Amino acid sequence: VEASFLKPANDRIPARLLFTVRDSGIGIAEDALELMFDPFTQAGNSYSQPLQGTGLGLGIVRKLVTLLDGTICIESTLGSGTTIYFTVGVTLPSTPAHFPVPSEKLAPPDHLRVLVAEDNRTNSILAQRILEKRGHTVVCATNGEEALSALAKESFDIILMDIQMPRMNGLEATKIIRSGDANCDPDIPIIALTAHALSHDQERFARGGIHYCLIKPFEIDDILTVLAQAMRDRTQA
């Protein structure tokens, strides 16, 4: 399965998301392709056919794609597999004012103590390795409770806070930090780690006290840029 954005030439939203689904199965005869989206229709429709199914799958898919303001088409070669293409209408996320994008390349800060609160081990290891290779000290937590416990034991310069975590999520932990009930600076910079890229999600994070955001999956430059922006704002506050 592949997916890619189809952006208009002027790069404005809305956009379309194209999905390509391929298999290497028995394929479909050309004269049967036009019928494949009809309910209860199968290629080689007979009671003795070796493959199971009711012939409803593609009909349901087409209805769902249509509801999502999209289109679907199919191409196949008998004996060589099938490819299905479909699009859905999407709205590309815009960056709200709460999450500033630096207009200049900022020098990365040195020797920070960073708390990474992230329950996904892969993301946690990635962030830790990126930061430690650049001279920062990193402590990891897997949920909000562990993050608050770490803050009670030692001081940190900044927090990378996953939004969705078990036991206590990132917004719940941030609320306690901002209230002053945690044993740390209530104004410590907090960067959200999240897959929620829509503007209304980020605005909700900002209302909860998180004013910077890293969208998953993130890259090395993403972490360094947001880290530099947060720490510059901190020194200028």
Side-chain angles (χ1 to χ4, degrees):
V1 179
E2 300 174 1
S4 59
F5 273 114
L6 300 179
K7 295 185 180 180
N10 56 10
D11 201 31
R12 295 188 309 172
I13 55 177
R16 306 193 73 76
L17 187 62
L18 169 67
F19 289 84
T20 304
V21 184
R22 297 186 178 91
D23 70 40
S24 56
I26 62 174
I28 303 169
E30 185 175 354
D31 58 0
L33 289 178
E34 294 184 2
L35 304 175
M36 293 311 300
F37 295 105
D38 294 342
F40 304 106
T41 298
Q42 295 176 289
N45 204 0
S46 72
Y47 293 121
S48 61
Q49 63 185 24
L51 302 180
Q52 297 181 352
T54 60
L56 285 172
L58 287 177
I60 293 173
V61 168
R62 182 170 63 176
K63 289 185 178 181
L64 292 174
V65 168
T66 301
L67 289 173
L68 294 171
D69 190 30
T71 58
I72 186 168
C73 63
I74 183 171
E75 63 179 23
S76 183
T77 303
L78 197 60
S80 300
T82 302
T83 302
I84 295 176
Y85 306 92
F86 68 93
T87 63
V88 295
V90 296
T91 301
L92 293 177
S94 58
T95 304
H98 304 291
F99 299 94
V101 177
S103 57
E104 57 181 305
K105 189 171 181 60
L106 302 176
D110 296 322
H111 308 302
L112 297 178
R113 292 190 56 79
V114 184
L115 174 60
V116 177
E118 165 65 77
D119 67 314
N120 182 284
R121 180 170 173 78
T122 300
N123 289 333
S124 179
I125 291 174
L126 175 61
Q128 182 176 11
R129 288 180 177 175
I130 290 173
L131 294 170
E132 287 182 344
K133 284 187 67 175
R134 281 150 184 83
H136 305 302
T137 301
V138 179
V139 173
C140 295
T142 61
N143 58 59
E145 290 181 356
E146 290 185 8
L148 294 177
S149 177
L151 288 166
K153 295 176 182 177
E154 52 188 308
S155 62
F156 294 90
D157 298 300
I158 196 165
I159 303 173
L160 303 185
M161 183 78 78
D162 185 18
I163 296 299
Q164 292 182 311
M165 292 185 290
R167 298 175 61 177
M168 179 184 290
N169 64 45
L171 287 176
E172 292 170 333
T174 299
K175 182 178 180 180
I176 295 174
I177 293 170
R178 297 302 187 217
S179 71
D181 292 335
N183 187 22
C184 68
D185 178 5
D187 297 321
I188 185 173
I190 300 177
I191 300 172
L193 298 176
T194 180
H196 297 281
L198 297 179
S199 59
H200 67 82
D201 291 315
Q202 298 185 27
E203 288 165 1
R204 178 166 58 90
F205 303 157
R207 290 194 300 270
I210 302 178
H211 300 287
Y212 304 91
C213 195
L214 269 174
I215 304 299
K216 300 176 184 177
F218 49 80
E219 303 290 343
I220 294 176
D221 288 344
D222 299 331
I223 290 184
L224 299 181
T225 297
V226 177
L227 201 71
Q229 178 70 49
M231 295 311 298
R232 187 186 72 168
D233 293 346
R234 172 76 160 173
T235 59
Q236 294 179 349

